[in-house]
Amino acid sequence: KQPIAYLVFVNPKEKLVFAYQRASEEEKYAETRLHGRYSIGVGGHVRPSDKQENPADPIFTSLMREVHKEEVKCEGSHGAPQLLGYINDDTFSPVDSVHVGLLYVIETTGTVVPKAEELKEGHMMPFSEFRGIMRDTQHRVERWTQIAFEQIEKRYS
């Protein structure tokens, strides 16, 4: 399985989580199995450059690359990433069966906005609003997001 750092931004005081919908156009987001799905996690595959830069922890290096250079922009103060646990679910989809997630959280008092075009739209939203998206059958939510959101709610509610 390929390890993926999966990072969730949370404002614990205001009970907000960064949530977004993935792009549906193949030229913007190549992983067609996740097109249009809602997510709260950002992250990606470990690249050879991550291994070269930090042989001791290339997964964490890939996480920091995704956060600071590629996917999102965090405006305002935030803490360091904290490892919450792992996500391993072989039952839901072909995407999940070939990846294992390392679930991280960053606590922030600021705003997080999409920077990469693969994130169609996104913003900090109340836990209750995202819970509504998860319950609405018209919205497709990534399985890892469902698992991670349950843990986020337990931790911060």
Side-chain angles (χ1 to χ4, degrees):
K1 287 194 172 197
Q2 298 171 20
I4 304 285
Y6 194 76
L7 174 71
V8 179
F9 286 92
V10 174
N11 179 321
K13 184 176 180 180
E14 296 182 33
K15 307 287 189 266
L16 302 173
V17 63
F18 174 69
Y20 64 93
Q21 185 179 18
R22 291 194 188 276
S24 295
E25 302 85 10
E26 195 164 337
E27 65 275 6
K28 292 183 180 177
Y29 188 59
E31 179 53 79
T32 58
R33 297 174 290 189
L34 298 177
H35 276 182
R37 292 192 182 268
Y38 284 85
S39 182
I40 62 171
V42 297
H45 291 94
V46 175
R47 295 182 182 164
S49 60
D50 300 323
K51 294 175 186 177
Q52 292 169 352
E53 184 179 329
N54 185 357
D57 197 350
I59 296 170
F60 187 79
T61 302
S62 75
L63 170 71
M64 300 312 289
R65 173 182 40 80
E66 294 279 351
V67 170
H68 293 295
K69 296 179 182 174
E70 295 181 7
E71 290 193 2
V72 296
K73 180 178 180 184
C74 187
E75 302 167 338
S77 65
H78 61 82
Q82 303 168 49
L83 180 64
L84 293 186
Y86 302 93
I87 300 174
N88 185 33
D89 182 10
D90 295 334
T91 62
F92 191 69
S93 78
V95 176
D96 299 333
S97 67
V98 296
H99 298 97
V100 61
L102 284 79
L103 177 58
Y104 289 89
V105 66
I106 286 182
E107 295 177 357
T108 182
T109 58
T111 302
V112 179
V113 294
K115 188 164 49 171
E117 64 180 9
E118 66 192 47
L119 309 183
K120 179 179 174 182
E121 57 184 52
H123 61 277
M124 297 296 286
M125 69 173 58
F127 288 0
S128 60
E129 183 180 341
F130 192 75
R131 172 64 61 195
I133 288 171
M134 287 181 47
R135 289 183 178 147
D136 186 340
T137 57
Q138 293 184 358
H139 293 110
R140 296 179 358 197
V141 178
E142 293 175 359
R143 179 67 182 141
W144 279 18
T145 286
Q146 295 169 13
I147 293 167
F149 188 70
E150 288 180 25
Q151 298 309 310
I152 296 297
E153 275 194 315
K154 284 179 190 175
R155 182 179 177 114
Y156 293 106
S157 293

